[in-house]
Amino acid sequence: QVQLVESGGGLVQAGGSLSLSCAASGSTFSINTMGWYRQAPGKQRELVATKSRGGRSNYADSVKDRFTISGDNAKNTVYLQMNSLKPEDTAVYLCYAARLFPPNEYWGQGTQVTVSS
């Protein structure tokens, strides 16, 4: 099993910045991807950004050039720096991890990000 513990988030005005972090523990030896998804009330969960252990990053078009994902493989930790936040970024942000062997996906409990206009 893999446990994901998120920190960060909160309330910020539009145009502001927030950062999130997520640390994985447990059977982390074959985690190959970590990242963030988000879910706003009444909407489906959507990709925000992911990062592979090899360094490849993937972003949703809506956050490109505003959000930056980074990670520390040795600490099994992933970070999300969110700049120029917009009210439409308001959502619960969930940490995600994918493991290769055995294959499985894991989710954090989520942290609220609220951007006021």
Side-chain angles (χ1 to χ4, degrees), residues 1-86:
Q1 289 294 324
V2 172
Q3 294 79 42
L4 302 174
V5 178
E6 301 134 330
S7 61
L11 173 65
V12 67
Q13 288 189 331
S17 299
L18 284 173
S19 61
L20 306 178
S21 64
C22 174
S25 62
S27 300
T28 62
F29 62 94
S30 66
I31 288 178
N32 71 315
T33 300
M34 291 186 71
W36 298 91
Y37 283 68
R38 68 187 181 187
Q39 188 164 16
K43 294 187 177 181
Q44 289 189 332
R45 187 173 298 182
E46 63 176 3
L47 168 75
V48 177
T50 59
K51 184 179 180 298
S52 72
R53 184 171 288 274
R56 180 174 297 178
S57 298
N58 180 43
Y59 293 91
D61 288 342
S62 60
V63 307
K64 281 181 180 177
D65 301 323
R66 299 189 298 121
F67 291 10
T68 302
I69 189 169
S70 62
D72 185 332
N73 289 338
K75 295 181 178 180
N76 293 302
T77 300
V78 66
Y79 308 95
L80 186 68
Q81 178 63 40
M82 304 182 290
N83 299 327
S84 302
L85 282 159
K86 304 174 181 180

